[in-house]
Amino acid sequence: MSKTASTFKAKSTIKAGNLDHRRKINFNIGKYNATVPQGKMQFDDLMMARQLAKNTKWRAIEKLDVLLEEFEKNISARGAKVIWAETAEDALKEIGKICKAKNCKTVVKSKSMVTEEIHLNKFLEKQGIESVETDLGEYIQQLDNEPPYHIVTPAMHKSKEDVAKLFTEKLDAPENLSPQQLTQFAREKLRKKYVEAEVGVTGANFLIADTGSVSITENEGNARLCSGFPKTHIVVTGIEKMLPSISDLALFLPLLSTFGTGQMLTVYNTIISGPKQNSESDGPEEMYVILLDNGRTNLLANPKTREALYCIRCGACLNACPVYKNIGGHSYDTTYSGPIGSVITPHLKNLKEYKHLSYASSLCGNCTEVCPVKINLHELLLENRYESVIEGDSSVSERVAWKMWKLSSLNRSMMNMTNGNLKNKVVNNLFKGWTKHRASLHFSEKTFNEMWKEQKGKQ
Ligand code: SF4
């Protein structure tokens, strides 16, 4: 077993038995489940909307090369600089160069999973640059020195009491502040950082090819301040965030809001098409867009797994997943957790090291059921399992066991050779790991043919 797999198993085993963790998660996912139906009511035909979204993403991903160039051409025409980064290291190197040129001491950041993926904060820290998370959930996680727990709600596993305690410990805040007071307290701390920062970093929820724009969705207004206040704005985004046209936002913005948080529309939706223009009074003097591959083209190259690139990172599949709800986001030890994380991580990183994630699923299909862009998540998990077996990543004992299972299942006379007791012994010994967390397999004492004959004799 790989080190990543054994860490995952150990962390999951501990978390699954932690009732306090389960209580907090159930509470927060319960609130999400109560709001989502209200958001869904805005769609006359939700199934049609989801299918349309899937078709649009299909078009975008099938001609991604063309659309990326169209995006580059259009946004460059308004003065932004586009940088293509094949790996996380390439992206960091470019960000490092920009920060150095601007003599940057402080960076303000809005929520972005891609910057988590490339470990931007650690990189900046090493360069002696302070990187401040300005999304409240991310700020809480940064204070606690923890990565985000969830792709939409980074501090989902913390109660309001946990956050109040953290603020007292780390920021000397008065004890037992209410959520409103905590928000105000964080806001006061963060406001002056926007003014100090030389560089602002954001992600992108969508890239729009026909206008050459970046669309950012958020509830706190902090991304607007990160992109508009500092003199330099850097967008770090995965190449798959592409939409063909700005008119597609009419569908994707409400869809993302509904499935992400249950809102009809997220509070702030910002479309940025370049740095400050001559006729404009505010905005950054320079804008860079870093288009990151970092393994995404591995998914793109395979017509089956390509579908995973349709993801709009709403987090609905995490909230619906019985495994995620029991083991929590941190057990995965990956940037992207839950069903979508288990699908894409083996391709973004390494199939052999991360194949265990594709087995961490009951295959109930609830993730597929809730996905706004109808990604067949549970089938993609099976595809990952298949690919890992084909690449020879299964153990010899497992391969022998399944071969024998197949041989005997296809051979009636073999199945009839022994009674149920012997079959129980053989199978339960062959699949040793099976009974560790499950009941043993039990065969019927009589074979199918014996029962058939008995039945016929009675007639
Ligand atoms: S896979 Fe679907 S449900 Fe999961 S985060 Fe992506 S868009 Fe949302």
Side-chain angles (χ1 to χ4, degrees), residues 47-153:
M47 281 310 276
M48 175 101 88
R50 289 171 65 199
Q51 191 58 50
L52 182 59
K54 181 169 191 169
N55 294 352
T56 307
K57 281 305 288 186
W58 173 81
R59 265 193 302 132
I61 298 299
E62 288 301 310
K63 48 177 195 167
L64 189 58
D65 50 345
V66 177
L67 294 180
L68 281 166
E69 285 185 1
E70 189 184 341
F71 167 82
E72 181 183 27
K73 188 174 133 252
N74 289 334
I75 200 164
S76 303
R78 289 176 63 87
K81 297 181 184 88
V82 174
I83 297 167
W84 299 75
E86 199 178 330
T87 62
E89 292 70 36
D90 292 345
L92 292 174
K93 207 167 107 196
E94 294 298 332
I95 297 169
K97 272 200 250 169
I98 300 166
C99 288
K100 198 169 172 203
K102 307 292 162 202
N103 199 16
C104 175
K105 302 272 177 298
T106 307
V107 163
V108 277
K109 260 192 81 232
S110 71
K111 186 175 158 14
S112 146
M113 289 311 288
V114 176
T115 56
E116 288 297 326
E117 181 185 329
I118 62 173
H119 303 294
L120 179 60
N121 285 347
K122 265 195 198 140
F123 171 80
L124 291 174
E125 201 185 306
K126 277 194 197 146
Q127 316 294 312
I129 298 169
E130 183 193 21
S131 176
V132 186
E133 293 289 351
T134 61
D135 169 90
L136 183 59
E138 290 285 356
Y139 182 62
I140 292 166
Q141 288 306 92
Q142 190 178 36
L143 277 182
D144 212 6
N145 206 15
E146 272 190 336
Y149 178 92
H150 185 281
I151 59 176
V152 174
T153 34

Side-chain angles (χ1 to χ4, degrees), residues 279-376:
S279 56
E280 291 170 349
S281 58
D282 53 18
E285 287 167 8
E286 283 187 67
M287 179 182 177
Y288 297 86
V289 182
I290 300 186
L291 297 173
L292 180 73
D293 176 353
N294 209 27
R296 284 160 177 80
T297 41
N298 297 335
L299 286 158
L300 187 67
N302 179 339
K304 283 187 186 152
T305 57
R306 192 175 293 168
E307 191 176 332
L309 295 173
Y310 303 173
C311 175
I312 57 170
R313 305 277 189 265
C314 71
C317 58
L318 281 67
N319 300 337
C321 175
V323 175
Y324 183 90
K325 282 193 267 193
N326 275 290
I327 67 171
H330 287 152
S331 300
Y332 290 80
D333 229 0
T334 53
T335 305
Y336 306 100
S337 56
I340 185 65
S342 300
V343 166
I344 63 175
T345 308
H347 301 277
L348 298 185
K349 287 176 168 269
N350 177 310
L351 184 59
K352 196 169 182 169
E353 255 183 72
Y354 289 91
K355 66 164 186 157
H356 59 277
L357 297 177
S358 312
Y359 293 84
S361 167
S362 60
L363 296 179
C364 63
N366 210 19
C367 45
T368 304
E369 197 68 31
V370 298
C371 177
V373 281
K374 294 174 69 113
I375 301 174
N376 285 316

